[in-house]
Amino acid sequence: MGLYMPLFRACTTSRALTQLHARLIVTGLHKEPQASTKLIDSYARTGSLETSRIIFGSFPEPDSFMWGVLIKNHVWNCCFQDAISLYDAMLFHLPQMGDYTFPPVLRACAAIGDLGIGQKVHGRIVKSGFESDPIVETALLNMYGELGCILYARKLFDGMPIRDVVSWGSIISCYVHNEQPSEGLELLRGMAKEEIEIDSVTLLSAAEACGELGLWRLAKSVHAYVLRKNIQSDVTLNTSLISMYGKCGDTGSAEALFRSAVIRSIYTWTAMISSFNQNGCYREALGVFVDMQLQDSTVEPNEVTLMSALCACARSGWLKEGKSIHGFLIRNNIDADNDILRSALVDLYSNCGRLRDCLKVFDPAQDRHIVSWNMLISSYAREGMCEEALILFTQMLIKGIIPDSFTLGSVINACGDIGFIQLGSQMHCHVIKAGYSENEFVQNSLIDMYSKSGLVDSAYAIFEEIPDRGVVAWTSMMCGFHQNGKSEEAIALFSKMYSDSLEMNEVTYLTAIQACSNLGYLEKGKWIHHKLITFGVREDMYIGTALTDMYAKCGELQMARQVFDSMTEKSEISWSAMIGGYGLHGHIDAAISLFTDMVDSGIRPNDVIFMNILSACSHAGYVNEGKSYFNAMSDFGIEPKSEHFACLVDLLSRAGDVEEAYKVINSMPFPVDASVWASLINGCRIHHRTDIIASVQEKLVDIHTDDTGYYTLLSNVYAERGEWSECRTVRSKMQSAGLSKVHGYSMVVVDKRIHHMPGG
């Protein structure tokens, strides 16, 4: 038989093995246990597992080694349940078995996730006296680790009399792969203290743990250890180190490792693409993907590679490049209906605003992957198509797909955006029943939904129940107060965050500045601006615009202009804030000059900017300029709205040209609302043109509005004319509508606190 052993090793194909098998049959050697065992093993390794079973079944009395080889090969071919069945049959036929039988059986138990069978095998190991065998003990460690039973694994490890590098590596891997990387690194330190040489397999776990925790310094130490000990950095370890650096935010070191690699597998390329993606370097990520196509024809991208490339395109809004990758999938017959790739394509098209293309990729009849549904629902909500998002959510429920926290958060946000408070409340109940009430994303969505629906007290009740509030929760609640006219409460929350040394982001500062702007709280606004500079918060376009608006509304026009001029990027809203600030404080020439600068710089004014410049002209009495700007709106493709007509009517009425103002009203292409009539009435009152009021008296009484200022102005005009009947009619109409005059008040800051002073 010894003569045939080299021939077995040379049999790399099924045909060669069949020929050797035939020669063994001719010589009668196939009946020997050693030859049969080698045939079983060889056929299984060439993919003929069924032939291995036939040979095994034809042998009259297979020994434990032959059983063990057959079980091992079933595990090697991923036939885990069959391997367990063979083990049970072996127990029935043989009273004793060798230690080599247990490791593959334990691997099969881990693969099928059956802890009960695994514990029974553990009991058999103890009964057979192999509990101290290092190979069997390591297999037990791996099984318990893969099944998430870390306590069992640790107890087993602590009881081992001799712990070699393999057992240390196994227990460290158990902790790292069960989301306890800190404990894994602590064990690594213990391994170093016992002066056990750390091998490349253990370093894989160490690199993964450093990456998960973002421990850059320790990551550098791990890499230095590899270099210092001259450990052979194979493709797997090199890939793990690249991924480690990427997760620690050090793309420079990751790229240096990648470029120096002699051999790059698909996993190496994918790790580099993912590292760039994780750090927002999407252009570089896509560049690596292109280099892979051009430089290495032997490497075929897998699902994760293509998903990472599509992710880079989606995050950057590169539709053309993303469609090219989609075309690559089609040309190379790669299954785009795969759950991972379909979700990535949905993500790409939704982020690029191509919802029609999303629907071409997404098939609600077949797609049962929650990620695809989530992406499409959130995309509809993000694009303002909230009703469509809710319909899609309903279809998902009909398909029997259980929503997760991301689904619920997106649907709750959609309810808030369209004010669908009834469904939002029902979703809140479902959140509690489904056990997601402590999920941070869902909590923040509920705060946002109730705030947008005007139920700020309900939002605050949820906020108060959150034990560990993150920056998003604080900021969402601040936004809720600010949006509901409770800017003082928003500033109070900001002050609480600062006093408690809590984390703040750009949106937190932005909301606080907007609240100060609403209140005209200059002192606090300056303080927040100072903290922005002190803490090195990046002043982007949004914060710059908010600061400009705050200083302008508070009358600090010089500071507002200084902030405005320092902005590297200005939006239409930025220009509007500065122009509006000048107009609000009567600096009409400065407003006009800035408007001209804006147009000269290539910025097209929008309807809000025209509203601000018209309002400035109205307050300053610049009639000709105001009329010119109103007429210029059509040159920029802007249709005047009711507010613009109200400004023009106010401009003409204040100047005494009430006849022209009345002509403008009659020329309006849509029904005249209360704000326009109020501008005319105020002009008539100022210039004592009761004749105009008398001619439109019937129209004035028929106006329906919630603006108490309009009713108050009209009743005062009638009172001044002595027309008490009409005055009472207006007051009665106001009361029947459930409206009451809003009392004026002043605000004054004393000892850094805002105090309200009632109007006289």
Side-chain angles (χ1 to χ4, degrees):
M1 180 60 200
L3 296 174
Y4 288 98
M5 294 308 293
L7 296 176
F8 272 107
R9 285 193 290 270
C11 291
T12 56
T13 63
S14 298
R15 183 177 180 182
L17 182 61
T18 303
Q19 291 174 349
L20 178 59
H21 190 183
R23 292 172 66 182
L24 290 173
I25 292 172
V26 170
T27 59
L29 292 174
H30 70 290
K31 296 181 179 180
E32 294 185 9
Q34 188 178 9
S36 294
T37 303
K38 286 300 297 181
L39 283 170
I40 290 169
D41 187 52
S42 299
Y43 273 117
R45 289 182 179 275
T46 56
S48 301
L49 195 59
E50 186 61 36
T51 306
S52 294
R53 292 196 193 98
I54 292 171
I55 295 171
F56 177 82
S58 65
F59 205 82
E61 294 182 1
D63 59 13
S64 63
F65 186 72
M66 191 179 294
W67 278 94
V69 169
L70 188 63
I71 291 171
K72 178 194 68 175
N73 281 303
H74 274 76
V75 173
W76 191 73
N77 283 278
C78 299
C79 299
F80 304 114
Q81 196 63 58
D82 290 338
I84 299 292
S85 299
L86 281 170
Y87 169 74
D88 290 337
M90 181 181 178
L91 289 177
F92 181 77
H93 288 93
L94 294 178
Q96 296 293 328
M97 58 185 68
D99 55 352
Y100 45 79
T101 307
F102 294 110
V105 175
L106 292 170
R107 174 73 190 93
C109 293
I112 65 174
D114 197 322
L115 177 62
I117 296 177
Q119 288 177 317
K120 289 179 180 178
V121 176
H122 189 177
R124 174 62 63 175
I125 289 169
V126 175
K127 191 174 182 180
S128 302
F130 295 124
E131 70 273 16
S132 297
D133 184 283
I135 297 175
V136 174
E137 283 184 315
T138 302
L140 278 167
L141 273 179
N142 289 330
M143 180 199 71
Y144 283 126
E146 289 187 35
L147 293 175
C149 302
I150 300 180
L151 292 177
Y152 291 157
R154 184 58 183 268
K155 185 177 180 180
L156 185 69
F157 175 78
D158 290 340
M160 293 173 68
I162 301 174
R163 296 183 289 206
D164 60 8
V165 64
V166 178
S167 56
W168 275 99
S170 295
I171 191 64
I172 290 170
S173 176
C174 285
Y175 277 103
V176 174
H177 292 154
N178 283 280
E179 300 180 357
Q180 296 188 37
S182 297
E183 290 78 0
L185 290 175
E186 192 62 36
L187 280 166
L188 183 69
R189 293 186 184 96
M191 182 179 179
K193 285 180 181 178
E194 293 194 14
E195 298 182 350
I196 296 174
E197 196 73 21
I198 301 172
D199 64 352
S200 60
V201 177
T202 308
L203 286 169
L204 287 173
S205 298
E208 184 178 346
C210 291
E212 290 300 321
L213 295 170
L215 300 175
W216 179 78
R217 290 186 182 278
L218 189 57
K220 296 289 283 186
S221 297
V222 170
H223 188 193
Y225 184 89
V226 172
L227 299 175
R228 189 169 64 253
K229 295 293 185 179
N230 199 24
I231 296 174
Q232 188 63 37
S233 184
D234 59 11
V235 176
T236 305
L237 180 55
N238 203 48
T239 300
S240 186
L241 290 171
I242 291 170
S243 179
M244 172 190 73
Y245 276 123
K247 290 178 180 178
C248 290
D250 187 357
T251 54
S253 296
E255 188 174 14
L257 262 174
F258 173 76
R259 299 298 177 194
S260 64
V262 179
I263 301 174
R264 298 175 189 154
S265 70
I266 184 58
Y267 303 106
T268 312
W269 287 96
T270 305
M272 192 65 247
I273 295 170
S274 298
S275 293
F276 277 131
N277 272 346
Q278 289 161 0
N279 291 279
C281 304
Y282 305 118
R283 185 177 298 278
E284 291 82 355
L286 198 59
V288 173
F289 178 76
V290 173
D291 288 345
M292 183 184 74
Q293 301 295 308
L294 297 175
Q295 298 176 14
D296 200 338
S297 59
T298 62
V299 174
E300 288 293 330
N302 59 23
E303 297 167 358
V304 181
T305 318
L306 294 166
M307 180 198 71
S308 298
L310 287 168
C311 174
C313 296
R315 296 295 167 269
S316 302
W318 294 333
L319 178 62
K320 182 179 178 182
E321 291 79 0
K323 292 182 80 171
S324 296
I325 297 173
H326 192 179
F328 176 87
L329 297 178
I330 296 170
R331 288 193 304 275
N332 290 274
N333 295 318
I334 298 173
D335 184 14
D337 286 335
N338 173 284
D339 286 338
I340 294 176
L341 292 178
R342 189 194 293 119
S343 298
L345 288 168
V346 170
D347 185 37
L348 165 73
Y349 289 122
S350 64
N351 273 282
C352 294
R354 300 293 292 266
L355 292 179
R356 288 186 179 180
D357 290 324
C358 271
L359 292 174
K360 291 178 183 177
V361 175
F362 178 81
D363 184 2
Q366 297 180 2
D367 200 321
R368 303 189 64 82
H369 200 271
I370 186 68
V371 176
S372 300
W373 287 87
N374 284 346
M375 285 179 177
L376 201 54
I377 290 171
S378 64
S379 298
Y380 274 121
R382 188 172 59 247
E383 294 293 324
M385 304 171 68
C386 297
E387 292 184 10
E388 289 81 355
L390 296 177
I391 291 171
L392 195 64
F393 173 67
T394 304
Q395 292 176 348
M396 180 181 127
L397 295 178
I398 293 172
K399 295 292 180 185
I401 300 173
I402 306 299
D404 61 10
S405 59
F406 189 85
T407 322
L408 296 171
S410 298
V411 172
I412 290 167
N413 282 330
C415 292
D417 288 340
I418 59 176
F420 204 165
I421 187 61
Q422 185 177 4
L423 179 59
S425 299
Q426 291 174 355
M427 293 302 301
H428 189 180
C429 293
H430 179 76
V431 162
I432 296 171
K433 291 178 182 177
Y436 289 113
S437 56
E438 295 183 3
N439 180 274
E440 185 178 6
F441 178 60
V442 173
Q443 289 169 336
N444 295 332
S445 298
L446 286 168
I447 291 171
D448 183 65
M449 184 268 293
Y450 281 120
S451 296
K452 287 180 177 177
S453 302
L455 301 175
V456 69
D457 291 337
S458 298
Y460 188 67
I462 294 170
F463 174 79
E464 284 280 88
E465 291 175 0
I466 302 174
D468 298 315
R469 306 181 192 107
V471 61
V472 179
W474 283 92
T475 305
S476 296
M477 195 63 249
M478 283 176 60
C479 289
F481 278 134
H482 168 63
Q483 292 164 356
N484 285 275
K486 295 189 174 185
S487 297
E488 290 179 59
E489 287 84 346
I491 293 174
L493 277 184
F494 179 84
S495 299
K496 175 67 174 171
M497 289 182 73
Y498 179 79
S499 63
D500 290 349
S501 301
L502 299 176
E503 178 192 357
M504 299 181 185
N505 58 22
E506 289 87 348
V507 183
T508 315
Y509 283 101
L510 176 65
T511 307
I513 294 165
Q514 290 173 334
C516 291
S517 180
N518 276 2
L519 294 171
Y521 198 170
L522 177 61
E523 183 180 355
K524 190 71 171 182
K526 283 183 174 180
W527 182 83
I528 294 171
H529 190 186
H530 174 261
K531 297 307 171 188
L532 274 171
I533 299 169
T534 304
F535 296 136
V537 178
R538 184 174 62 90
E539 289 188 26
D540 58 14
M541 180 178 64
Y542 302 101
I543 290 180
T545 300
L547 285 168
T548 300
D549 184 61
M550 186 271 294
Y551 281 121
K553 285 182 177 177
C554 293
E556 286 279 347
L557 295 178
Q558 186 176 354
M559 192 63 193
R561 186 58 186 263
Q562 184 178 329
V563 173
F564 176 79
D565 289 339
S566 68
M567 294 171 62
T568 55
E569 184 183 1
K570 301 180 181 75
S571 68
E572 294 173 342
I573 302 173
S574 310
W575 289 91
S576 178
M578 195 66 244
I579 292 170
Y582 278 134
L584 181 66
H585 295 284
H587 294 252
I588 181 61
D589 293 328
I592 291 173
S593 174
L594 192 61
F595 181 88
T596 304
D597 291 344
M598 180 192 69
V599 175
D600 291 342
S601 67
I603 302 292
R604 292 177 62 86
N606 58 19
D607 57 339
V608 178
I609 293 174
F610 271 111
M611 182 70 194
N612 284 338
I613 197 71
L614 286 170
S615 179
C617 291
S618 177
H619 285 94
Y622 278 39
V623 178
N624 292 332
E625 290 82 354
K627 291 166 70 175
S628 174
Y629 284 122
F630 184 86
N631 294 329
M633 292 179 69
S634 58
D635 297 337
F636 293 96
I638 299 173
E639 289 292 330
K641 298 179 181 178
S642 180
E643 294 85 354
H644 300 101
F645 278 102
C647 266
L648 181 59
V649 171
D650 186 60
L651 171 69
L652 296 170
S653 299
R654 284 175 182 269
D657 195 355
V658 290
E659 287 88 354
E660 182 67 21
Y662 188 39
K663 288 181 181 178
V664 170
I665 291 175
N666 288 329
S667 69
M668 288 174 61
F670 38 73
V672 185
D673 63 18
S675 63
V676 179
W677 285 117
S679 297
L680 179 66
I681 294 168
N682 191 46
C684 291
R685 183 182 62 82
I686 293 171
H687 297 284
H688 307 291
R689 292 299 303 271
T690 57
D691 55 319
I692 297 292
I693 295 177
S695 64
V696 296
Q697 189 165 343
E698 290 183 4
K699 296 179 180 179
L700 299 179
V701 175
D702 291 337
I703 293 293
H704 296 279
T705 179
D706 292 334
D707 182 7
T708 59
Y710 170 78
Y711 291 114
T712 302
L713 174 63
L714 188 58
S715 66
N716 288 343
V717 168
Y718 286 138
E720 289 176 6
R721 294 170 58 192
E723 299 178 7
W724 301 109
S725 175
E726 287 77 4
C727 178
R728 284 191 293 271
T729 300
V730 172
R731 293 283 182 175
S732 176
K733 185 176 181 181
M734 181 176 172
Q735 291 174 359
S736 62
L739 303 174
S740 59
K741 181 180 177 181
V742 178
H743 296 287
Y745 62 89
S746 300
M747 290 188 297
V748 61
V749 179
V750 179
D751 294 331
K752 298 183 180 181
R753 292 185 61 187
I754 298 177
H755 298 271
H756 293 265
M757 306 295 292

